[in-house]
């Protein structure tokens, strides 16, 4: 049996705009966040979206 990686387009559509918002809100010179509370929620959501985006599919028995 092959280990298949699943690619879920729904999680890609979630991760893309959240990633863009994070890039826009991070100040790379000072390594600070513009809106810390909101950006922490964005980071957590982005990590979960990327995890579920590339999660391995379970083999059906």
């Amino acid at each position: 049996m092959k280990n298949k990686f699943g690619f879920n387009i729904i999680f890609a559509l979630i991760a893309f705009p959240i990633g863009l918002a994070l890039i826009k809100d991070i100040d790379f010179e000072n390594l600070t966040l513009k809106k810390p509370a909101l950006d922490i929620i964005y980071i957590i959501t982005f990590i979960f979206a990327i995890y579920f985006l590339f999660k391995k599919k379970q083999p059906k028995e």
Side-chain angles (χ1 to χ4, degrees):
M1 289 187 167
K2 294 181 184 178
N3 288 336
K4 293 185 179 182
F5 283 99
F7 184 81
N8 196 336
I9 191 73
I10 293 172
F11 289 111
L13 291 174
I14 292 171
F16 183 70
I18 291 175
L20 290 177
L22 279 172
I23 290 173
K24 187 174 72 171
D25 284 350
I26 295 175
D27 181 15
F28 288 104
E29 290 180 9
N30 300 325
L31 293 176
T32 58
L33 301 172
K34 292 182 182 176
K35 303 173 206 166
L38 183 62
D39 290 336
I40 290 172
I41 294 171
Y42 281 167
I43 290 169
I44 292 169
T45 307
F46 183 73
I47 290 170
F48 278 113
I50 295 298
Y51 171 74
F52 287 120
L53 182 66
F54 293 110
K55 184 179 174 186
K56 286 185 180 181
K57 289 184 179 179
Q58 297 293 328
K60 294 181 181 178
E61 294 183 38

